[in-house]
Amino acid sequence: MKKTIYFFCALMLSACGEKREQQSNNNQQPIVENAIPLAIGTYTRKEGHVDGKAEGIYIYSFNPANGALKHLSTTDNIINPSYLNVHPNGQYIYAVSEVADDEKGAPVYAYQFEATTNTLALMNESSTLGNYPCYVEVSPEGKSLAVANYGSGNITLIPLNPNGSLGTKPAMDQHSGQGPNLARQEAPHAHMAHYNGAHQLLSTDLGTDQIHIYNTENQTLETEKVLSLSAGAGPRHLAVHPKNQQLYVVDELKGNISTFSAQHELTAESSYLNNEGEEAAGGDIIIDQAGKYLYVSNRGNSNSITVFEISQELKKVGHFSTLGKTPRAITFSPDEKFLLAANQDSGDIAVFEINAESGLPRSEGKVYKIPTPVCMKWVLPKK
């Protein structure tokens, strides 16, 4: 069912293109030579599922030689910036505020990254037209911003102005339905909005066990297809194979990775659980650039990452602890020599050097204390 609605500038929370300095930016430091800026999203207050202790958006430097992290700046005056995304040119950062606002909708913010000081300057903000946004992503050409609103179960598409600020006339699509797990699937819960190419948007919905595929070519959300997973799976995030376009979807509720062919047919389900009694609470899923290894974090009682080799089917090759609690997000370093895990509830990021041949860590990782980290994005222009 297609429900594309347009909203006008009255829904904007501030003038488009307006640029204001952030309220505070602590410990501003120049970045070390050859280091890479890393933006970290967090929770800043106590919610039903998390005891947020962070101050806002953190910018750290990452040393590609040894994986070391060093704090550069903090941008506050934003509540629960739980998910971030970086513009393809590397100059702008977008952050949702994971809150509820039944009147205006939760806000999303556009910042300019000041490379000389490694700080953020607020440009403007807009409504996400929903509640509890948990995901945001910029289109590959940098012309629009997609937001997944978990609480209200809808996807919003916001145009971007040439200067990177948030534009007007966003489009919105409301998901509908529910799943068999009434404790978690009583209503739609959009959890991801990921671009697969310039104009195709993929959205997982934990509440309805579905993946919505949209065409966004005309700055609209035109539904092309809706894929179904096993009842009660609770899809969270997905990854697209870089070579054959297969989809791999990690669920929260059953402990599986669902594989879809390039023609979007469900072909397999593979468990990411490793031991009897291990709880299913999938967090994130990533694939290396060669398309050889797939990694899934589990936020359940194992607090681990499971590694699969990708061939005709997924072959489990190992798993390892994230050295913390609740690994919400995982990401590779830009050269894929390291893997980083953001442990939400223990308040730290673990850095592991990865063996490219085996896909597993070369040695025990290093842990850096960072309050309530839940998202990590490299502040670099896309290649």
Side-chain angles (χ1 to χ4, degrees):
M1 178 174 62
K2 180 181 72 174
K3 297 180 182 177
T4 304
I5 306 172
Y6 293 93
F7 293 81
F8 295 88
C9 197
L11 288 168
M12 297 297 290
L13 300 181
S14 68
C16 301
E18 180 185 7
K19 179 177 173 181
R20 293 180 283 141
E21 294 297 322
Q22 66 278 11
Q23 290 298 311
S24 71
N25 221 288
N26 305 322
N27 302 323
Q28 300 174 12
Q29 300 180 35
I31 200 165
V32 298
E33 187 177 1
N34 297 324
I36 304 167
L38 178 67
I40 301 171
T42 67
Y43 284 105
T44 62
R45 70 183 187 188
K46 187 177 180 62
E47 302 288 351
H49 65 292
V50 61
D51 185 11
K53 299 180 182 298
E55 297 176 326
I57 302 169
Y58 297 123
I59 303 294
Y60 272 67
S61 71
F62 174 81
N63 189 330
N66 58 17
L69 290 170
K70 179 182 179 182
H71 178 255
L72 297 175
S73 68
T74 302
T75 300
D76 63 6
N77 201 34
I78 180 172
I79 300 171
N80 294 345
S82 65
Y83 210 87
L84 317 173
N85 206 244
V86 179
H87 192 280
N89 65 16
Q91 299 177 23
Y92 312 114
I93 293 177
Y94 304 90
V96 296
S97 179
E98 192 174 318
V99 298
D101 188 330
D102 291 333
E103 182 179 348
K104 297 180 181 178
V108 57
Y109 298 87
Y111 296 91
Q112 181 165 328
F113 177 67
E114 305 287 1
T116 56
T117 58
N118 300 294
T119 59
L120 303 182
L122 179 64
M123 294 191 293
N124 70 339
E125 59 185 276
S126 178
S127 171
T128 65
L129 308 180
N131 285 330
Y132 296 110
C134 63
Y135 201 95
V136 61
E137 185 164 309
V138 186
S139 63
E141 77 279 14
K143 294 183 179 179
S144 60
L145 186 76
V147 179
N149 291 298
Y150 180 87
S152 49
N154 61 303
I155 299 295
T156 301
L157 192 66
I158 303 172
L160 296 179
N161 296 317
N163 69 350
S165 63
L166 299 163
T168 61
K169 299 182 181 179
M172 187 271 280
D173 184 66
Q174 178 65 52
H175 295 178
S176 62
Q178 60 181 193
N181 186 335
L182 295 183
R184 297 292 311 279
Q185 297 182 306
E186 80 294 346
H189 293 303
H191 217 308
M192 188 182 198
H194 172 67
Y195 279 96
N196 183 29
H199 303 298
Q200 185 181 82
L201 186 70
L202 308 175
S203 170
T204 56
D205 194 302
L206 184 146
T208 64
D209 295 320
Q210 293 176 325
I211 301 170
H212 294 248
I213 302 178
Y214 298 102
N215 184 322
T216 64
E217 186 170 5
N218 298 313
Q219 193 55 41
T220 60
L221 290 166
E222 302 286 341
T223 301
E224 292 185 334
K225 190 181 295 185
V226 178
L227 311 182
S228 295
L229 287 84
S230 296
R236 179 180 175 90
H237 283 186
L238 60 79
V240 182
H241 194 279
K243 298 185 183 299
N244 61 27
Q245 285 293 295
Q246 288 196 139
L247 304 182
Y248 297 92
V249 187
V250 61
D251 69 44
E252 282 199 32
L253 306 181
K254 284 193 169 183
N256 288 328
I257 301 166
S258 298
T259 302
F260 287 84
S261 69
Q263 293 73 40
H264 299 144
E265 297 176 350
L266 179 60
T267 60
E269 290 181 335
S270 308
S271 175
Y272 57 76
L273 304 179
N274 296 285
N275 303 300
E276 185 177 352
E278 184 176 351
E279 298 171 353
D284 207 357
I285 182 169
I286 57 175
I287 299 174
D288 64 8
Q289 294 175 9
K292 184 177 181 180
Y293 291 111
L294 179 149
Y295 299 75
V296 169
S297 68
N298 186 7
R299 300 163 300 151
N301 52 3
S302 69
N303 295 298
S304 62
I305 294 172
T306 303
V307 186
F308 294 85
E309 184 177 4
I310 303 172
S311 55
Q312 294 294 333
E313 57 186 25
L314 292 180
K315 177 185 176 182
K316 194 178 296 182
V317 295
H319 66 281
F320 56 96
S321 168
T322 63
L323 308 179
K325 188 176 180 181
T326 318
R328 175 75 173 256
I330 54 177
T331 191
F332 295 114
S333 61
D335 60 7
E336 295 194 344
K337 291 182 179 179
F338 295 90
L339 184 147
L340 289 73
N343 293 307
Q344 171 187 290
D345 291 340
S346 53
D348 50 64
I349 290 179
V351 181
F352 303 90
E353 186 178 4
I354 297 297
N355 184 320
E357 292 301 317
S358 69
L360 298 171
R362 292 184 181 275
S363 59
E364 186 173 342
K366 298 178 182 178
V367 176
Y368 298 85
K369 297 300 291 185
I370 298 169
T372 330
V374 291
C375 176
M376 301 172 288
K377 297 295 178 183
W378 302 107
V379 189
L380 289 171
K382 298 290 191 300
K383 295 180 180 179

